[in-house]
Amino acid sequence: TKTADGSKNISKKEAKGEIISSIHSIKYHKNIISWSSTFSKPIGAPLEIVPSKNPLALKSGDMLEITVFKDKKPLSGAKVETGGYHDENATLKTDEKGKASIKINQSGFNIVAVSNKTKLENNPDADTLSESANLAFVTK
């Protein structure tokens, strides 16, 4: 919660004084260490990244199609980031079917991140729900 006195890790209802904004943040993570075809289907996390094929078999320069799901439905317009987090200039977004194609930029450890913010109405704890999901894997 951000107040006139600064940011504090407390809910909006616990804050004292003028409240500027309050965010409830949740993070979901998948780390693929060996491949199963079941990983190309959603598992039902509230926000998740699903690869269309085995990312472990890819190498630098290859493309990977992913689908982003929010509450088991494809999420369009989600900002997709590769190689790091919180890139305010990220321009890659999912299409109307929740899909995006990403280029594998490096051999070794790769991470794909997506975030989604939802305004909360009449919530005593926060103004915004900020969810992020990661997909981590190691390429050849």
Side-chain angles (χ1 to χ4, degrees), residues 34-66:
S34 67
W35 182 250
S36 167
S37 61
T38 59
F39 298 145
S40 62
K41 298 174 184 68
I43 60 171
L47 182 67
E48 67 178 304
I49 302 168
V50 178
S52 63
K53 62 184 176 185
N54 180 0
L56 305 176
L58 301 177
K59 61 186 182 310
S60 181
D62 288 345
M63 298 298 289
L64 175 64
E65 183 179 85
I66 60 164

Side-chain angles (χ1 to χ4, degrees), residues 37-139:
S37 61
T38 59
F39 298 145
S40 62
K41 298 174 184 68
I43 60 171
L47 182 67
E48 67 178 304
I49 302 168
V50 178
S52 63
K53 62 184 176 185
N54 180 0
L56 305 176
L58 301 177
K59 61 186 182 310
S60 181
D62 288 345
M63 298 298 289
L64 175 64
E65 183 179 85
I66 60 164
T67 305
V68 176
F69 291 90
K70 169 74 175 127
D71 297 329
K72 301 180 185 177
K73 297 177 188 165
L75 180 63
S76 67
K79 191 186 309 184
V80 178
E81 303 169 51
T82 59
Y85 298 98
H86 308 301
D87 180 2
E88 294 299 324
N89 298 312
T91 57
L92 181 61
K93 292 189 178 187
T94 57
D95 66 15
E96 66 280 349
K97 295 180 182 177
K99 296 185 181 298
S101 290
I102 59 168
K103 184 176 182 180
I104 303 300
N105 290 322
Q106 63 188 26
S107 298
F109 182 76
N110 282 269
I111 191 161
V112 180
V114 66
S115 59
N116 186 64
K117 291 185 179 178
T118 306
K119 186 167 177 62
L120 300 172
E121 300 293 334
N122 303 316
N123 187 304
D125 295 317
D127 302 320
T128 304
L129 173 61
S130 176
E131 294 173 291
S132 62
N134 304 329
L135 175 67
F137 52 91
V138 176
T139 60

